Each structure stands twice: as C-alpha cells, then as structure tokens.
Amino acid sequence: MYRDSEAAWEALVTLFFVDTAHDPSEYVRAAWRKIADGGVWINMGPLLWHFHDMPGEVSIELTWQELRSLIVACVTPTPPQPGPPHAPRPSPRLSAP
C-alpha cells in the first residue's frame, strides 16, 4: 500500500493475509487507515496463524470471535476526550452477517 493513500480507498480486499501477522492488531489498524469513511474491508482466508508451531517465534493467535472484536474496536469511534479541540476522521463501518 502506498504511504500517501491514507483514507483513500473505498474498498480493500486482502487474501490469505491476517494470519501472517505476529500481531494481527497491526494489520487491522493498517487496513482501516487506508479505507475512506464508509468503505469496506473484505478479507478471505483461514486463520492458521503461520507462527503457531515455530520455536522462538512469538505471535498473537486469535479466534474469529476475538479477531472480530479487535476489528470492531478499531473501527468504532471513541468518544471525544477532554482537551484541545480536534477533528477526528469518522471511522469506516464493519459489516458482518
């Protein structure tokens, strides 16, 4: 993905991707940074967690329910905190069956 493409895409499609991360939250946050308000992220692939049985490799291995909770947490807008005024970008929405 290009550095100057923050919030530039209406849709992001990834294949066999999320389970290649040592820390899936890094991938989730990176994906949502690229998607414009109202955009969608479509991911296809299993959750096999590539580093599961590799000695010396540390990784976070989530169930689908845990991964979905992480995705929802990353796209749900947080209430404004007291402090200087700011204009946060509205978050894209997660659609689930």
Side-chain angles (χ1 to χ4, degrees):
M1 290 193 239
Y2 304 103
R3 290 180 204 182
D4 61 348
S5 65
E6 299 293 308
W9 302 98
E10 292 180 16
L12 176 66
V13 178
T14 54
L15 300 170
F16 301 94
F17 170 72
V18 175
D19 65 342
T20 65
H22 284 275
D23 179 355
S25 69
E26 293 176 3
Y27 283 15
V28 170
R29 286 191 304 271
W32 284 118
R33 279 194 307 269
K34 301 297 180 186
I35 300 170
D37 182 35
V40 296
W41 176 19
I42 301 166
N43 182 68
M44 175 71 176
L47 296 178
L48 297 177
W49 305 113
H50 291 235
F51 303 102
H52 175 71
D53 291 331
M54 296 178 92
E57 294 288 342
V58 177
S59 68
I60 300 170
E61 299 162 6
L62 304 175
T63 65
W64 162 242
Q65 291 79 15
E66 293 166 332
L67 180 60
R68 186 181 189 289
S69 294
L70 171 65
I71 294 167
V72 169
C74 285
V75 300
T76 303
T78 56
Q81 300 297 315
H86 62 287
R89 179 177 71 86
S91 298
R93 297 288 173 225
L94 171 70
S95 296

